Amino acid sequence: MRNEQMLIPRVLATEAALALIASLRDAHGPLLFHQSGGCCDGSSPMCYPVGEFRIGVNDVYLGEIGGCSFYMGGKQFDYWQHTQLTLDVVPGRGSGFSLEAPRGVRFMVRSRVFAEHELRSLPVLRRGPQE
């Protein structure tokens, strides 16, 4: 595998997202992210303490951000597989049980379509929990 192949992450995070992740990790311990809904930019992944959300056999591991695993539902990934996601933070309360909700902010993803040469160099992703 060429070095450049290893450099194209499927998921990134802004400085604001990384700061919030660090604060949430300090308060709650190890965390993970799961994106199971949303069809476009502005979709909100959920942030959970490790052990509070069960990763399914069809969930796809996209990578790590801020020391946290980031997963996407398998059907969701089928739509998003051509994009690179960037986790960001915006004001406002999201729905659900994501850990950042009580802070008056929510995580959201922005996306960009991978260039053709990037798509060819992406590794095949595995589904299910990653050790």
Side-chain angles (χ1 to χ4, degrees), residues 38-108:
C39 64
C40 49
D41 280 352
S43 297
S44 295
M46 302 292 280
C47 178
Y48 299 101
V50 168
E52 294 290 319
F53 183 85
R54 181 172 276 162
I55 300 301
V57 296
N58 289 315
D59 289 330
V60 179
Y61 173 77
L62 298 184
E64 189 174 290
I65 50 172
C68 305
S69 296
F70 193 106
Y71 291 87
M72 180 175 279
K75 288 182 181 180
Q76 191 71 23
F77 180 73
D78 291 342
Y79 292 108
W80 288 70
Q81 64 185 315
H82 297 64
T83 63
Q84 182 179 57
L85 303 180
T86 300
L87 185 70
D88 201 358
V89 177
V90 294
R93 253 181 93 100
S95 60
F97 301 103
S98 194
L99 289 176
E100 80 283 2
R103 297 178 181 220
V105 295
R106 69 179 179 92
F107 286 111
M108 65 170 275

